[in-house]
C-alpha cells in the first residue's frame, strides 16, 4: 500500500514535471522566436546577396549600373572581359567612355540613338541587336545590348542597368548564312531566267508552232518558272537587306507625282481581276486620274528616298492587295502632315487575324488561314518592304479586320520645301545621274 502510494506520488510529480517542462520550453521558444527569425532573416539576406554576387561575378554577360550623370556604379567581371576594362578601373567613370557603341558600319551613334543616353527619356527597356562595341584595345565586338531604366515614384529615370553579350559568333554565322543564300539565289536566277526565256520563245507563234495542248503545258511551266524567279529575287533582296548591302540611291522625290506615274500599271493589275481601284492624293481626297485631264491643286509631299526601292514596296503592297482580295476595291492614297508623308494601300479582302499582325513583317511569315493558304507566295514580300522603309527611317504597319479588309500604312519623314530645295541643289552639284525611273519634281 505504502509502495503503491509512493509510486502514485512519484508518477504525479513526473507528469507535473513533464507538463511544466513543456510549458516552460514553449514559453522559452516563444520568447526566443523573434530573435531567432531575425538572425535567420539576416542570414537569408546575406545568402541572397551572396547568390546575386556569385551570379554577377560568374556570368559571361556584361552588367553595369550607371546613374543620371552616366557614372558607373557597378561593373561586373563579364563587362570587364568584353570591354577590356578592369572592374576597379571602370567604377566611378563615365559609362560612355567604357561602353563605346558604333553601328555595323563602324560609325559612332548619334547621342539620341545611343541606348545609354536614350534610356533617360524612356520608361521602357531599350534593346539594340545590331550594336558593335569598341573595346579598350580598339577591337570591334558585335554585341546585343539592353538597357533598363530604374524609375523613382514620379516615373523619372534615376539610373539604368545595361546588360550586353558578345555575339561575334552568332553574327558571323548569320553572315555566312546570308552569303550562302545570296550566292545560291544569284547563281540559280541565271538558269531560271534562261528557262523562262526559252519557254517564252516556244510559246511565241512567230517563232514556233505548237499544238494547243502543248501550249497549255508550256504556259503552266512558264508561270511556275516566273514564280521561281521571283522567289530567288526575293531571297537575294532579303539577304542583301539583312546585311546592309541593299543598293539605295536616295534623291528628293515628290511622292504625289511619283505615285501618279504608277497608277496606270496598278489599275491594270486590279482590273485584270475585276477589282475596282481608287487613287487618292491629299487630305481633301482629290481623285488622281479619276477625271481625265483635270488639273488638281494638291500638297507637295517631298521625301528623300530611292524611288526604285519605294516602287518595290508599293508594288508589293498593291500586288498583295490584288492577290488576296477576291472582289471589291483597292485604294491607294497619300496624305501627310508637316513631319510625315503617309501612303496607304487599302483593300476589301479577307483581312488578317489579330494574332498574325505582329509577325506579318517577319521573314517567311505567311498567314495560315483557309483563304490565304491556297494562294502562292514566299512570305518575304512584307519583310523586304519593312527593310526598305526602315532604310529611310520610315515605319510600315497594318490595320486589319477579318472579313472587312486591311490597310497597309507607310510613314516616311517629310522634307520641307526649303530642305528639299537645298538637297536638290546638293544633288545637282554632285552630278549623280538620278535613276531613270525616278521622278524628281523641281521644288517650287
Ligand atoms: P507572300 O504574299 O509572298 O506570302 P508577304 O510577305 O507579301 O508574302 O505577305 C505575308 C503574308 O501576309 C501573306 O502570306 C498573307 O497571308 C498576308 N497578307 C499580306 N497582304 C495581305 C492582304 N492585303 N490581305 C490579307 N492578307 C495579306
Amino acid at each position: 500500500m505504502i509502495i503503491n502510494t509512493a509510486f502514485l506520488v512519484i508518477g504525479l510529480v513526473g507528469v507535473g514535471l513533464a507538463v511544466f517542462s513543456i510549458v516552460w520550453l514553449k514559453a522559452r521558444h516563444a520568447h526566443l522566436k523573434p530573435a531567432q527569425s531575425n538572425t535567420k532573416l539576416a542570414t537569408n539576406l546575406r545568402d541572397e546577396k551572396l547568390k546575386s554576387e556569385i551570379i554577377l561575378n560568374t556570368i559571361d554577360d556584361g552588367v553595369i549600373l550607371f546613374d543620371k550623370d552616366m557614372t558607373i556604379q557597378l561593373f561586373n567581371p563579364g563587362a570587364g572581359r568584353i570591354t577590356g576594362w578592369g572592374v576597379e578601373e571602370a567604377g566611378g567613370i563615365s559609362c560612355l567612355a567604357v561602353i563605346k557603341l558604333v553601328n555595323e558600319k563602324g560609325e559612332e551613334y548619334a547621342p539620341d540613338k545611343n541606348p545609354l543616353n536614350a534610356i533617360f527619356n524612356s520608361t521602357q527597356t531599350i534593346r539594340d541587336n545590331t550594336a558593335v562595341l569598341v573595346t579598350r584595345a580598339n577591337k570591334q565586338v558585335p554585341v546585343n545590348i539592353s538597357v533598363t531604366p530604374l524609375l523613382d515614384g514620379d516615373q523619372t529615370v534615376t539610373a539604368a542597368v545595361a546588360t550586353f553579350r558578345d555575339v561575334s559568333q552568332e553574327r558571323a554565322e548569320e553572315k555566312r548564312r546570308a552569303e550562302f543564300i545570296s550566292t545560291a539565289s544569284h547563281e540559280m536566277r541565271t538558269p531560271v531566267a534562261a528557262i523562262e526565256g526559252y519557254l517564252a520563245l516556244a510559246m511565241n507563234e512567230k517563232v514556233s508552232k505548237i499544238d494547243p495542248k502543248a501550249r497549255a503545258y508550256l504556259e503552266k511551266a512558264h508561270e511556275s518558272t516566273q514564280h521561281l524567279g521571283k522567289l530567288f529575287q526575293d531571297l537575294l533582296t532579303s539577304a542583301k537587306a539583312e546585311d546592309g548591302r541593299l543598293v539605295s540611291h536616295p534623291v528628293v522625290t515628290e511622292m504625289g507625282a511619283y505615285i501618279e506615274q504608277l497608277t496606270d500599271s496598278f489599275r491594270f493589275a486590279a482590273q485584270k481581276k475585276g477589282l475596282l481601284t481608287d487613287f487618292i492624293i491629299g487630305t481633301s481626297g482629290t481623285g488622281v486620274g479619276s477625271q481625265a485631264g483635270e488639273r488638281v491643286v494638291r500638297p507637295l509631299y517631298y521625301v528623300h528616298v530611292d524611288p526604285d526601292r519605294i516602287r518595290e514596296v508599293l508594288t508589293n503592297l498593291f500586288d498583295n492587295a490584288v492577290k488576296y482580295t477576291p472582289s471589291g476595291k483597292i485604294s491607294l492614297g497619300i496624305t501627310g502632315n508637316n513631319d510625315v508623308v503617309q501612303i496607304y494601300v487599302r483593300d476589301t479582302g479577307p483581312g488578317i487575324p489579330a494574332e498574325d499582325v505582329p509577325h506579318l513583317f517577319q521573314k517567311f511569315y505567311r498567314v495560315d488561314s483557309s483563304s490565304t493558304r491556297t494562294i502562292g507566295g514566299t512570305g518575304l514580300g512584307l519583310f523586304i518592304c519593312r527593310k526598305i522603309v526602315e532604310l529611310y527611317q520610315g515605319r510600315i504597319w497594318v490595320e486589319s479586320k477579318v472579313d472587312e479588309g486591311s490597310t497597309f500604312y507607310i510613314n516616311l519623314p517629310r522634307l520641307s520645301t526649303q530642305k528639299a530645295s537645298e538637297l536638290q541643289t546638293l544633288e545637282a552639284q554632285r552630278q549623280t545621274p538620278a535613276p531613270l525611273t525616278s521622278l524628281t519634281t523641281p521644288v517650287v
Side-chain angles (χ1 to χ4, degrees):
M1 178 73 189
I2 292 171
I3 292 171
N4 280 348
T5 311
F7 272 129
L8 188 68
V9 171
I10 291 168
L12 282 173
V13 170
V15 170
L17 272 174
V19 170
F20 174 77
S21 333
I22 291 167
V23 171
W24 182 79
L25 275 174
K26 269 201 158 183
R28 189 162 183 258
H29 188 71
H31 171 69
L32 286 177
K33 206 173 177 182
Q36 269 187 348
S37 59
N38 270 345
T39 320
K40 213 170 158 198
L41 193 67
T43 317
N44 278 350
L45 281 176
R46 241 195 341 267
D47 285 353
E48 289 307 319
K49 193 164 174 273
L50 198 68
K51 277 189 219 160
S52 309
E53 274 173 14
I54 291 172
I55 293 171
L56 270 178
N57 288 335
T58 50
I59 53 168
D60 276 342
D61 292 10
V63 181
I64 65 163
L65 168 70
F66 56 100
D67 60 23
K68 226 174 159 37
D69 301 326
M70 309 304 280
T71 308
I72 295 178
Q73 300 295 343
L74 184 148
F75 188 85
N76 79 332
R81 278 191 293 277
I82 300 172
T83 60
W85 284 77
V87 172
E88 300 299 326
E89 291 172 303
I93 61 172
S94 166
C95 63
L96 296 174
V98 176
I99 314 290
K100 282 189 196 152
L101 296 177
V102 293
N103 64 20
E104 281 163 322
K105 290 182 193 148
E107 298 158 346
E108 247 177 63
Y109 275 45
D112 59 325
K113 294 277 180 294
N114 189 331
L116 300 173
N117 292 316
I119 199 65
F120 289 100
N121 294 318
S122 167
T123 50
Q124 313 250 316
T125 298
I126 301 179
R127 293 188 177 80
D128 186 339
N129 292 343
T130 56
V132 176
L133 187 144
V134 182
T135 68
R136 199 175 185 184
N138 264 339
K139 208 179 122 206
Q140 298 204 347
V141 179
V143 288
N144 283 357
I145 182 164
S146 56
V147 190
T148 305
L150 301 179
L151 304 163
D152 66 8
D154 316 331
Q155 296 289 297
T156 316
V157 185
T158 50
V161 176
T163 55
F164 48 99
R165 167 176 297 184
D166 178 348
V167 288
S168 315
Q169 278 190 354
E170 288 91 326
R171 294 246 184 109
E173 189 58 45
E174 236 167 63
K175 202 164 168 229
R176 275 197 292 277
R177 233 186 353 244
E179 268 167 15
F180 170 74
I181 292 178
S182 103
T183 316
S185 38
H186 185 78
E187 291 304 317
M188 287 190 274
R189 236 175 18 151
T190 319
V192 168
I195 298 170
E196 202 187 320
Y198 282 117
L199 286 172
L201 275 178
M203 289 189 304
N204 187 338
E205 281 171 6
K206 288 183 194 145
V207 182
S208 47
K209 296 270 165 280
I210 46 167
D211 66 62
K213 206 169 173 188
R215 171 173 299 280
Y217 292 148
L218 287 184
E219 272 168 5
K220 285 214 163 16
H222 189 243
E223 219 173 84
S224 298
T225 320
Q226 274 182 324
H227 183 73
L228 201 60
K230 165 107 175 62
L231 171 65
F232 290 144
Q233 181 59 52
D234 281 357
L235 277 172
L236 191 61
T237 314
S238 64
K240 283 185 178 175
E242 273 183 305
D243 59 19
R245 284 186 298 125
L246 214 54
V247 179
S248 168
H249 301 288
V251 288
V252 173
T253 307
E254 203 284 292
M255 279 315 293
Y258 188 67
I259 287 181
E260 226 168 326
Q261 253 196 350
L262 303 174
T263 53
D264 278 349
S265 67
F266 285 168
R267 190 179 292 113
F268 179 70
Q271 274 171 356
K272 268 207 300 193
K273 206 179 162 185
L275 296 165
L276 297 170
T277 49
D278 197 6
F279 300 101
I280 306 143
I281 291 192
T283 40
S284 58
T286 317
V288 179
S290 49
Q291 284 176 24
E294 188 190 18
R295 282 187 70 80
V296 288
V297 179
R298 54 169 178 74
L300 294 170
Y301 295 115
Y302 288 110
V303 287
H304 196 236
V305 297
D306 183 333
D308 286 343
R309 289 275 170 232
I310 291 298
R311 191 190 49 205
E312 258 178 275
V313 176
L314 297 179
T315 307
N316 221 318
L317 295 184
F318 201 90
D319 283 356
N320 271 354
V322 171
K323 190 161 80 169
Y324 295 106
T325 305
S327 64
K329 188 164 89 175
I330 317 288
S331 316
L332 170 63
I334 178 166
T335 175
N337 59 26
N338 283 344
D339 305 318
V340 167
V341 172
Q342 184 171 87
I343 306 160
Y344 60 87
V345 179
R346 180 168 298 140
D347 65 55
T348 53
I352 297 157
E355 65 268 26
D356 291 302
V357 168
H359 310 287
L360 218 58
F361 297 90
Q362 289 167 4
K363 213 164 44 166
F364 298 119
Y365 194 85
R366 301 202 74 216
V367 176
D368 190 22
S369 69
S370 56
S371 49
T372 58
R373 205 183 306 131
T374 46
I375 302 169
T378 60
L380 283 169
L382 291 179
F383 170 75
I384 293 171
C385 288
R386 173 168 68 84
K387 285 289 183 185
I388 293 175
V389 170
E390 285 174 357
L391 212 58
Y392 308 115
Q393 288 75 49
R395 193 164 86 84
I396 182 167
W397 75 102
V398 64
E399 286 170 14
S400 186
K401 262 197 176 155
V402 171
D403 294 335
E404 286 185 22
S406 314
T407 308
F408 284 82
Y409 293 93
I410 299 167
N411 274 6
L412 291 169
R414 183 174 184 175
L415 294 179
S416 66
T417 307
Q418 193 195 343
K419 183 82 188 155
S421 167
E422 283 167 18
L423 279 174
Q424 276 190 328
T425 313
L426 277 176
E427 278 163 14
Q429 279 168 0
R430 269 192 237 118
Q431 290 183 326
T432 41
L436 279 178
T437 47
S438 75
L439 194 139
T440 52
T441 313
V443 177
V444 286

